[in-house]
């Protein structure tokens, strides 16, 4: 049988294709299942949250923190309900992570608050004695790159059909001409977060119309639930 | 040679030695074979640029194993996972239901000491990130639980006001009472509202009701202040207060765990 195939490269190629295509199909088909659709209530990230997400990626938070709660009691007791695939529908890329040096963050918005994050990012050991997480003080005076965040969100909307500007969904706009309006909305959102913070430099920066990274990052972390 | 006292290290060293010896032996055997032996057998008809192939039978053990895996694979697809209704989520649900049942029956009538110990465990995981391991609120980052539940705690609340528990009456302004009046009321409330009610309590009664029970859910029931019930109420409501925001633990902790946390927190201020 194998000699027959070896003598006929065309059929051999077809056979190889079929075998590999079957394996591919098994991987792809589940993505069309209902379970992979966005879970009800899942919303795309707002501009400020995207900027925070970029900060999260830039400072490599995902190297030590996972965002995937497995269905084990020990995990759901500590981190909240197990993760569903449909919850990552608007994550590009998803930040599941592969290593938990620190705790999982997939639902951190449910049990940590703005003021806690502020204390923790400024000096982790001030709230978690024995923590080995480094301090992220630079986030308090470095501003986010809102234009890049807007470009990412706009790409998500146009290329991947992420439902921005639809009823009940965050507003974004359709082109770079809409950026000033989106920037204004992000600033409004940032003001609400800064109001719950204590750091005067951050409050001043937001009042001046700037958005420090810490504000965007907290907006992102609070959105995780 | 300190590291050799570890039996895992000893085992690893032994394994490494065995692998090394086997490798040398097997490689040597094949090199010798290549040098001396000539291959024999029937050539297949086809050849490519003069390179032919022998018609060898498959080694029996290999062939049966291969067939076996095909049959096992079919069984696995059809009768094994996932078509027979098993799912990881189902297993998780069973596990949780079983644990909940066991937990509730085991701790339904837990005594004070047990609740305190359980509460300490839950506290260290869920509460200490904000309130601190000692419950002191870490320099004002969260409510100081070492005074909470005592007359000092009530005084604090009267002085600073309170908000964000989500009751219809809304925010309690700071400094409604001061001096001796505040002290008297504080002692009365922290004492479980027993004995004669001080006249100054009228200020509190405006929202909390003359009996302190909160007028049917309009304001917090302060007659339970300083008891695990009150802690349970705060855990369920969460609090968006003057210091910061506390999330609601409703659904994250079971009622027994909430009661345990309350028992533990009170032991901090009451020094039990």
């Amino acid at each position: 049988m194998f000699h027959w195939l070896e003598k006929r490269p065309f059929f051999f190629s077809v056979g190889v294709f079929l075998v590999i295509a079957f394996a591919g199909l098994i991987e792809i088909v589940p993505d069309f299942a209902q379970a992979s659709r966005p879970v009800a209530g899942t919303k795309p990230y707002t501009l400020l949250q995207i900027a925070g997400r970029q900060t999260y990626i830039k400072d490599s938070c995902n190297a030590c923190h996972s965002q995937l709660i497995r269905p084990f009691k020990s995990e759901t007791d500590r981190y909240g309900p197990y993760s569903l695939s449909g919850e990552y529908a608007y994550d590009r890329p998803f930040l599941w992570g592969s290593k938990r040096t620190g705790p999982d963050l997939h639902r951190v918005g449910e049990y940590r608050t703005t003021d806690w994050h502020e204390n923790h990012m400024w000096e982790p050991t001030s709230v978690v004695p024995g923590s080995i997480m480094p301090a992220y003080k630079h986030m308090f005076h470095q501003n986010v790159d809102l234009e890049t965040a807007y470009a990412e969100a706009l790409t998500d909307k146009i290329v991947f059909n992420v439902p921005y500007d639809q009823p009940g969904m965050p507003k974004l706009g359709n082109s770079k001409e809409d950026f000033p309006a989106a920037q204004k909305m992000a600033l409004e959102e940032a003001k609400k977060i800064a109001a719950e913070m204590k750091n005067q430099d951050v409050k001043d920066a937001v009042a001046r119309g700037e958005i420090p990274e810490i504000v965007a990052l907290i907006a992102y972390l609070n959105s995780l639930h | 040679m300190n590291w050799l006292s570890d039996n895992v290290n000893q085992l690893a060293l032994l394994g490494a030695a065995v692998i090394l010896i086997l490798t040398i032996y097997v490689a040597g055997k094949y090199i010798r074979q290549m040098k001396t032996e000539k291959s024999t057998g029937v050539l297949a008809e086809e050849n490519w640029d003069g390179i032919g192939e022998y018609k060898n039978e498959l080694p029996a053990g290999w062939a049966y194993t291969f067939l076996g895996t095909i049959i096992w694979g079919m069984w696995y697809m059809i009768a094994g996972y996932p078509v027979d209704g098993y799912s990881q989520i189902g297993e998780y649900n069973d596990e949780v239901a079983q644990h909940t049942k066991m937990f509730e029956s085991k701790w339904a009538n837990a005594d004070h000491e047990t609740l305190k110990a359980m509460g300490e465990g839950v506290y260290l995981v869920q509460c200490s990130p904000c309130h601190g391991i000692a419950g002191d609120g870490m320099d004002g980052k969260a409510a100081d639980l070492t005074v909470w539940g005592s007359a000092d705690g009530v005084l604090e609340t009267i002085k600073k006001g309170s908000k964000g528990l989500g009751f219809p009456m809304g925010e309690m302004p700071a400094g409604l009472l001061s001096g001796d009046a505040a002290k008297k009321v504080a002692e009365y409330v922290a004492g479980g509202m027993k004995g004669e009610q001080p006249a100054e309590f009228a200020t509190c009664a405006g929202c909390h009701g003359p009996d302190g029970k909160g007028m049917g859910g309009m304001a917090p029931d302060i007659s339970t202040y300083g008891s695990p019930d009150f802690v349970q109420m705060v855990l369920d409501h969460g609090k968006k207060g003057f210091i910061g925001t506390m999330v609601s633990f409703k659904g994250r902790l079971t009622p027994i765990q909430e009661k345990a946390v309350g028992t533990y927190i009170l032991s901090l201020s009451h020094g039990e």
Side-chain angles (χ1 to χ4, degrees), chain B residues 57-126:
Chain B
E57 288 299 320
L58 286 175
W62 191 92
Y64 290 134
T65 311
F66 184 54
L67 265 178
T69 53
I70 291 177
I71 292 166
W72 180 84
M74 294 209 169
W75 167 84
Y76 191 68
M77 285 283 282
I78 294 160
Y81 185 87
V83 192
D84 78 337
Y86 167 83
S87 81
Q88 204 181 0
I89 299 302
E91 187 181 333
Y92 166 79
N93 288 340
D94 289 348
E95 203 180 291
V96 171
Q98 205 182 350
H99 181 272
T100 309
K101 214 173 121 196
M102 188 272 289
F103 186 87
E104 274 171 7
S105 64
K106 190 169 177 187
W107 306 116
N109 299 307
D111 60 17
H112 185 78
E113 282 308 303
T114 316
L115 281 177
K116 203 173 117 183
M118 184 196 289
E120 182 173 11
V122 178
Y123 178 90
L124 287 175
V125 176
Q126 306 281 7

Side-chain angles (χ1 to χ4, degrees), chain A residues 1-9 12, chain B residues 44 46 48 53:
Chain A
M1 181 179 124
F2 298 113
H3 289 282
W4 186 88
L5 272 177
E6 279 175 7
K7 278 185 276 185
R8 290 167 183 78
F12 201 177
Chain B
E46 71 272 19
W48 296 269
E53 190 183 347

Side-chain angles (χ1 to χ4, degrees), chain B residues 10-258:
Chain B
Q10 284 172 0
L11 212 62
L13 196 67
L14 186 72
V18 168
I19 289 171
L20 194 67
I21 292 164
L22 276 178
T23 308
I24 291 169
Y25 172 74
V26 172
K29 177 174 174 267
Y30 280 113
I31 289 168
R32 231 177 303 123
Q33 217 173 38
M34 278 191 280
K35 277 184 186 158
T36 57
E37 284 192 13
K38 287 248 182 304
S39 47
T40 54
V42 185
L43 272 173
E45 283 159 34
E46 71 272 19
N47 73 69
W48 296 269
D49 301 335
I51 300 169
E53 190 183 347
Y54 287 116
K55 277 185 172 171
N56 285 338
E57 288 299 320
L58 286 175
W62 191 92
Y64 290 134
T65 311
F66 184 54
L67 265 178
T69 53
I70 291 177
I71 292 166
W72 180 84
M74 294 209 169
W75 167 84
Y76 191 68
M77 285 283 282
I78 294 160
Y81 185 87
V83 192
D84 78 337
Y86 167 83
S87 81
Q88 204 181 0
I89 299 302
E91 187 181 333
Y92 166 79
N93 288 340
D94 289 348
E95 203 180 291
V96 171
Q98 205 182 350
H99 181 272
T100 309
K101 214 173 121 196
M102 188 272 289
F103 186 87
E104 274 171 7
S105 64
K106 190 169 177 187
W107 306 116
N109 299 307
D111 60 17
H112 185 78
E113 282 308 303
T114 316
L115 281 177
K116 203 173 117 183
M118 184 196 289
E120 182 173 11
V122 178
Y123 178 90
L124 287 175
V125 176
Q126 306 281 7
C127 318
S128 72
C130 296
H131 291 283
I133 287 174
D136 55 2
M138 295 194 277
D139 293 335
K141 290 190 181 71
D144 182 352
L145 297 177
T146 56
V147 297
W148 189 89
S150 66
D152 285 345
V154 184
L155 269 179
E156 277 284 302
T157 308
I158 294 173
K159 203 166 93 192
K160 292 184 179 160
S162 175
K163 68 169 184 180
L165 277 169
F167 284 94
M169 280 296 183
E171 187 175 330
M172 164 171 158
L176 278 179
L177 291 170
S178 56
D180 273 353
K183 223 172 201 169
K184 248 193 260 173
V185 169
E187 263 154 29
Y188 173 67
V189 172
M193 305 190 56
K194 288 183 193 83
E196 199 191 329
Q197 195 173 67
E200 292 86 348
F201 189 77
T203 315
C204 316
C207 291
H208 295 285
D211 55 358
K213 287 195 192 303
M215 306 205 291
M218 292 302 283
D221 176 0
I222 53 170
S223 70
T224 59
Y225 184 82
S227 77
D229 288 346
F230 197 89
V231 178
Q232 216 161 337
M233 185 276 288
V234 177
L235 285 170
D236 279 346
H237 278 85
K239 197 166 192 293
K240 213 169 158 54
F242 289 111
I243 307 177
T245 309
M246 169 171 155
V247 294
S248 163
F249 283 83
K250 202 177 178 120
R252 290 174 60 80
L253 297 177
T254 68
I256 299 175
Q257 282 175 317
E258 287 182 345

Side-chain angles (χ1 to χ4, degrees), chain A residues 2-216:
Chain A
F2 298 113
H3 289 282
W4 186 88
L5 272 177
E6 279 175 7
K7 278 185 276 185
R8 290 167 183 78
F10 175 73
F11 288 106
F12 201 177
S13 306
V14 171
V16 167
F17 174 76
L18 284 180
V19 170
I20 292 176
F22 180 73
L25 212 60
I26 292 289
E27 286 188 9
I28 292 165
V29 164
D31 283 347
F32 292 94
Q34 192 56 39
S36 301
R37 304 280 116 201
V39 170
T42 306
K43 285 183 182 175
Y45 297 107
T46 65
L47 184 53
L48 187 68
Q49 288 162 3
I50 291 249
R53 205 177 123 88
Q54 288 181 345
T55 305
Y56 184 95
I57 295 170
K58 189 175 88 177
D59 277 288
S60 248
C61 304
N62 54 317
C64 292
H65 292 280
S66 61
Q67 284 190 20
L68 187 132
I69 304 163
R70 297 171 291 177
F72 301 131
K73 185 149 186 359
S74 53
E75 296 215 352
T76 55
D77 272 1
R78 183 167 174 198
Y79 302 126
Y82 53 80
S83 306
L84 305 169
S85 57
E87 290 177 298
Y88 302 99
Y90 305 125
D91 277 16
R92 292 175 199 282
F94 59 78
L95 298 171
W96 295 344
S98 54
K99 186 168 174 290
R100 280 186 189 156
T101 303
D104 189 278
L105 299 180
H106 192 216
R107 301 197 192 284
V108 72
E110 283 179 12
Y111 52 91
R112 292 287 185 270
T113 53
T114 302
D115 52 306
W116 189 86
H117 285 306
E118 185 187 5
N119 289 325
H120 185 242
M121 301 303 287
W122 181 260
E123 187 56 69
T125 47
S126 74
V127 280
V128 186
S131 169
I132 56 163
M133 181 168 134
Y136 284 84
K137 288 181 179 153
H138 62 270
M139 286 183 180
F140 288 73
H141 47 78
Q142 245 169 40
N143 289 337
V144 288
D145 180 357
L146 215 53
E147 283 176 33
T148 305
Y150 188 72
E152 183 182 318
L154 205 56
T155 310
D156 284 349
K157 181 182 172 181
I158 294 166
V159 180
F160 299 109
N161 232 353
V162 170
Y164 283 107
D165 295 310
Q166 284 177 18
M169 294 295 184
K171 297 221 178 324
L172 189 72
N174 296 311
S175 67
K176 66 178 180 188
E177 271 77 51
D178 297 326
F179 176 64
Q183 193 179 19
K184 222 171 136 190
M185 277 188 295
L187 193 62
E188 286 307 311
E189 207 183 321
K191 275 181 184 157
K192 279 185 204 144
I193 291 181
E196 290 179 23
M197 291 177 67
K198 295 196 173 64
N199 189 300
Q200 200 53 43
D201 290 347
V202 170
K203 283 173 180 285
D204 291 347
V206 173
R208 280 197 303 273
E210 293 167 15
I211 301 180
E213 286 181 333
I214 185 72
V215 176

